[in-house]
Amino acid sequence: MPVRIYTPLGDGPKPLVVFTFGGGFVTGSIEIADGAARQLAAGSGRDRRQRRLPARAGAPFPAGLEDAYAVLEWAAASATDLGADRSFLAVAGDSSGGNFAAAMTLMARERGGPVIAHQLLVYPVLDSDFGASEATATRLTATS
């Protein structure tokens, strides 16, 4: 599976972050998410981002999630070759990608996979109740 690697300037091993982009589980593209991923990598001054491409076209669930998890396993196994610090392995994602990041953390725990040190979930889709009011969503976000 192809990935895009973002490496900021600087010496020494860097944290390794596997980032999955959103798109409602069916759309989205690496090109649309590219700018944000570059800013996250450069802004931290020490971050390394891995990007997964969307699931195989037309593949039913859980193909996309399994693809993302395969990238996580590859990234963890390749950390030294990538110049990354495997002890600082993180998953991140926005929207449906945030769902994948949370799910990959659970999968790694259940499967005895890579140890994930951190999660960054950006407005993740974690609930199927899309009828929640905006006030409820704002309150939950503000108090989380």
Side-chain angles (χ1 to χ4, degrees):
M1 164 157 303
V3 297
R4 186 171 289 178
I5 300 173
Y6 300 91
T7 307
L9 300 174
D11 295 327
K14 296 169 179 54
L16 179 62
V17 180
V18 176
F19 185 89
T20 54
F21 57 81
F25 302 104
V26 293
T27 64
S29 77
I30 196 168
E31 299 308 325
I32 291 171
D34 183 71
R38 287 178 187 275
Q39 287 178 342
L40 286 169
S44 70
R46 43 173 248 171
D47 211 358
R48 178 181 288 263
R49 299 268 168 203
Q50 306 296 329
R51 297 288 312 209
R52 76 163 178 83
L53 292 177
R56 298 170 293 253
F61 178 82
L65 179 56
E66 291 293 343
D67 287 350
Y69 187 75
V71 170
L72 173 66
E73 287 185 312
W74 168 82
S78 302
T80 301
D81 294 338
L82 295 170
D85 179 356
R86 185 178 173 165
S87 69
F88 193 101
L89 176 62
V91 292
D94 66 318
S95 191
S96 59
N99 175 286
F100 276 16
M104 288 189 300
T105 301
L106 296 173
M107 291 167 73
R109 183 189 69 193
E110 297 299 317
R111 296 178 180 184
V115 175
I116 298 172
H118 302 282
Q119 278 186 340
L120 172 62
L121 308 178
V122 182
Y123 50 87
V125 177
L126 299 176
D127 189 339
S128 62
D129 183 9
F130 296 110
S133 73
E134 184 176 324
T136 300
T138 301
R139 187 177 72 245
L140 291 174
T141 302
T143 59
S144 298

